[in-house]
Structures are given as C-alpha cells and as structure tokens.
Amino acid sequence: MSSGRELFARDGPEAQMDEIAARAGVGIGTVYRHFPTKEALLTAMVRDRFQEFAEIATLAEDTIDPRHALETVMRRSAEAVEGDVGFQLAMMGSNQLEWEGIEEQKAVLAAVVTRIIRRAVDAGVVSDDFTFEDFGMVMCGITSTMYYKPGGADWRRHLAITVHGIRPPVRDVEQESA
Amino acid sequence: MSSGRELFARDGPEAQMDEIAARAGVGIGTVYRHFPTKEALLTAMVRDRFQEFAEIATLAEDTIDPRHALETVMRRSAEAVEGDVGFQLAMMGSNQLEWEGIEEQKAVLAAVVTRIIRRAVDAGVVSDDFTFEDFGMVMCGITSTMYYKPGGADWRRHLAITVHGIRPPVRDVEQESA
DNA sequence: CAGCATACGGAGCTAAGATTCCGTTTGTCA
DNA sequence: TGACAAACGGAATCTTAGCTCCGTATGCTG
C-alpha cells in the first residue's frame, strides 16, 4: 500500500495493479483482498494524502503576518504535490472526481483557508473579492505547471505571478474615496 | 473528420474510433484509410486547430496599446479552447507531447507573441522578466481551470488574476533609482 | 454490358489491463 | 501431529478499444 503510493506518485492513476502488487511483494489477489477495486485503492491513497492539505493550512494559520500566512499555505500545498503525479491530478480534479470520504477533509481545508483569506483581505493585502474557490482555482493552475511542464517552466514562478495577481488592485485616491 | 472534431472536443483523446466513424457516417475501415492510426487522426485535428493560435496572435499584434495587445492574445487564446476538451489538453500539453508538424506553428506563435510581450515590457506595463515560456505556463494554468473546474470556477477570473500578476512589481523611488 | 480498379464496411483479431477464482501455503488449536 | 481456518498467489477470465482484412459496392473505361 505504501509501495503503491510510490507508483501512484510516478504514474498517477495509470499505475497498474500488477505492478503495484509486485512492488509490494504480494500477489494481485492480496491487493484485491484489501481493496475491492482499483478505484478503492486510489481513493484510499488520495484520501490519505489529501489529509496533508488540511494539516498544512492549519500550521500556516499560526503565521502572524496575514499575507505571509496565505502565501505559506499556497507554497506548502504546492510543495506537497511536487513530484507526485497522482497527487497533482487529485488536487487539480478535486472537485470533479467524487472521491469518497474526502468531503470532510475538504470541509476542514475550506474552513481554515477561508479564515486565512479573510484575515489577508481584512489586512488589505489581498483583493477583497478573493475566495476559497479562487484559491482552489489558482492552485489548480500552479499544479498544472508541474504536471504539464515537468522539467520545463518553474511552478514557483507561476506561484509568484499568482501571488502578485491576487493583491488588491492599485486604486487612485479618487476611486478610494468614492 | 470534422465530425471527429466534435467528438474530440467533447471527449478529448478518449474519443473512440468506432464512434468517430459512426458519427462521420462511415465505416471504421474508411477512417483508417485516411489516418493510419488514431494518433495520426488526433495529431491532424490538433495541428488543424493549433493554427488558430498563430492567427489569433497575428491579429492581436495590430492592437496599438501594448498591454491591450497582450491581454487580447491571452483572452482570445483562452476563448479558442473554451468548450473543446481535446484542444484544452493539446494546449496544456503542447510541449510535452510531440505532435508532429506542430513545431513550425509553434515557432510562428512564439515569434509573434514574443514581439507582443517585448512591446508590453518596453512600455513598462508588464514585468520585464516575463517571457514566452511564462506565457505558455500561465495559459496552461488558465486552461486548467476550464478543464478541471468545468461549470465551476470562472476562467475569466483566473485570466484577470494572471493579467494582474504579470504587471511590473510596484517599486518605490529608492529601488527605481538604485 | 464486361472487366477492372478503387473505396467502403464492419466482423473479427489482438493487446492491455482490471478482476476473479481456486489450489496452495501458512497459522492455530486441541 | 491432524484438522480446520484464514490468507495468499497468480493463472485464467473478461472487457475494452485499437486495428486488420477481406468480401462487397461503386464507378470508370472500352
């Protein structure tokens, strides 16, 4: 199972049951005795790792500086999926695939991140219409750089551009007073 | 072939040869008489549509305002892949999959977009380290919103954030004179 | 119209990969 | 040690989808 994770990290959902079993040093039958279907196995691995997001966000919430807190969640989340193709796909498709049992973890993540965002908004360091949904959207974008441009474009650069992009628009005095 | 495009737009590379043939009102054999393999068929369709990017960029180059020109390429490119899952994947993976015969179109696109970027940089409306590679990277990100959050997050919002993000960083006088 | 060529259709072949099933091994209890 | 149970392994099965092949239809030429 933990060996399956290595393969999942390398090949994503394409990872083959035979190979997973071989890597784990067991027969295919044994794998199926633990997980009724391949999907169940994938789900278990994703749920397992998805947990990390909530932990990352929770840790980041301790950061005093509001902007730094938000940037930390984003960076750490990206780092968490780095080098794990399966996890990258899981993050990007987290709302289109209905992975069983991930709902609650997602709820926790949403709650924490929403608080972090609100704090940044209140501090005026992030555009006041920035939402948790936006967070998922831009993280998906940053992850797409890892997934689709491996060894090419640098996702940290994408992150930097994004972080810059979610800052409040520059307003002149007239607009602000209006 | 044009009917294959509809299926490709809906299902991406998952589109099945049987269905493509049926949709076209011909037998599978006939499809294979025109395209030796499925990949050849997909390549032909992608090459066909990829052409549009170069056209879009070329048209946008006429725009006088440098920032507007760049934003137009980005928006039009995104609009071009909207609603076409196959094309979305093609755009995102354009540099990992080696689609035959796309190289030259990509070269044209690179040349035109690079000029547009340079103009924007020279006008000081875009960060001066923004490159064509960055362009591909952020477009991939925006496209990922369409692909992974269909009916969910709004890619135009992602575009707006990105456009904001590639602006030059705000510098105070001291930094500028340094 | 006969003969030939070209293009078509789609049943069937093949490969790949998930899943099943049963003979075998391992472990436990008396 | 013998009997039973639980877990294992992996060959065989099933399914899907790309691709091939050959009998047939269409069309052209003399």
Side-chain angles (χ1 to χ4, degrees):
Chain A
M1 152 93 168
S2 69
S3 61
R5 197 178 293 169
E6 289 170 27
L7 275 176
F8 185 57
R10 194 190 69 191
D11 302 337
E14 312 267 274
Q16 286 165 24
M17 295 304 267
D18 303 23
E19 209 178 342
I20 290 175
R23 182 73 75 99
V26 300
I28 308 175
T30 301
V31 174
Y32 276 92
R33 210 157 295 108
H34 291 302
F35 303 96
T37 64
K38 178 177 181 177
E39 201 187 334
L41 172 58
L42 296 182
T43 299
M45 287 191 291
V46 168
R47 183 168 42 212
D48 220 34
R49 290 222 61 188
F50 212 85
Q51 178 75 23
E52 291 178 34
F53 287 136
E55 290 164 11
I56 286 169
T58 303
L59 276 177
E61 205 174 10
D62 292 338
T63 306
I64 307 292
D65 181 67
R67 165 153 44 198
H68 194 220
L70 181 55
E71 288 182 18
T72 298
V73 192
M74 294 176 70
R75 185 172 40 75
R76 291 264 165 79
S77 298
E79 283 168 351
V81 302
E82 196 175 10
D84 187 330
V85 169
F87 202 21
Q88 284 162 21
L89 281 167
M91 166 176 252
M92 292 194 289
S94 59
N95 61 345
Q96 70 175 356
L97 303 184
E98 281 310 324
W99 276 309
E100 230 172 291
I102 284 199
E103 302 311 321
E104 41 187 321
Q105 294 176 334
K106 217 155 64 179
V108 172
L109 179 67
V112 179
V113 172
T114 299
R115 280 200 299 274
I116 294 177
I117 290 172
R118 180 146 34 225
R119 199 145 59 89
V121 165
D122 289 347
V125 295
V126 160
S127 176
D128 58 17
D129 58 358
F130 189 72
T131 66
F132 175 68
E133 191 185 37
D134 291 334
F135 174 85
M137 178 177 74
V138 299
M139 288 312 298
C140 172
I142 289 161
T143 305
S144 77
T145 293
M146 296 183 201
Y147 186 78
Y148 292 104
K149 322 277 183 191
D154 176 18
W155 66 263
R156 285 176 192 276
R157 179 152 172 73
H158 199 162
L159 173 63
I161 289 173
T162 302
V163 163
H164 188 185
I166 64 179
R167 294 190 318 175
V170 178
R171 289 178 174 139
D172 57 41
V173 180
E174 214 168 333
Q175 278 180 310
E176 267 182 9
S177 63
Chain B
M1 154 94 167
S2 68
S3 61
R5 198 177 295 170
E6 288 170 27
L7 275 178
F8 185 57
R10 194 190 68 192
D11 302 336
E14 312 268 273
Q16 286 165 25
M17 295 304 269
D18 301 24
E19 208 178 343
I20 290 174
R23 182 73 76 98
V26 301
I28 308 176
T30 302
V31 173
Y32 277 93
R33 210 157 297 109
H34 291 302
F35 303 96
T37 64
K38 179 178 182 177
E39 201 187 334
L41 172 57
L42 295 183
T43 299
M45 286 192 292
V46 168
R47 184 168 41 211
D48 219 36
R49 291 221 60 189
F50 212 85
Q51 177 76 25
E52 289 177 36
F53 287 136
E55 290 163 10
I56 286 168
T58 302
L59 275 176
E61 207 174 8
D62 292 337
T63 306
I64 307 291
D65 181 68
R67 164 153 47 197
H68 194 220
L70 180 55
E71 288 182 17
T72 299
V73 193
M74 294 177 70
R75 185 173 39 76
R76 291 263 166 79
S77 298
E79 282 167 352
V81 303
E82 195 175 11
D84 186 331
V85 169
F87 202 20
Q88 284 163 20
L89 281 168
M91 166 176 253
M92 292 193 289
S94 59
N95 60 345
Q96 69 176 355
L97 302 185
E98 282 309 323
W99 275 309
E100 228 172 294
I102 283 198
E103 302 310 321
E104 41 187 321
Q105 294 176 335
K106 216 154 64 180
V108 172
L109 180 66
V112 179
V113 172
T114 298
R115 279 200 301 273
I116 295 177
I117 290 173
R118 180 145 36 224
R119 199 145 61 89
V121 167
D122 289 346
V125 294
V126 160
S127 175
D128 57 18
D129 59 358
F130 189 71
T131 66
F132 176 67
E133 192 185 37
D134 292 334
F135 174 84
M137 177 177 73
V138 299
M139 288 314 297
C140 173
I142 290 160
T143 304
S144 77
T145 294
M146 295 183 203
Y147 185 78
Y148 291 104
K149 321 279 183 192
D154 175 16
W155 67 263
R156 285 176 191 276
R157 179 152 173 73
H158 200 162
L159 173 62
I161 289 173
T162 303
V163 162
H164 190 183
I166 65 178
R167 293 187 319 172
V170 177
R171 288 177 176 144
D172 57 40
V173 179
E174 216 167 330
Q175 277 180 313
E176 266 182 10
S177 63

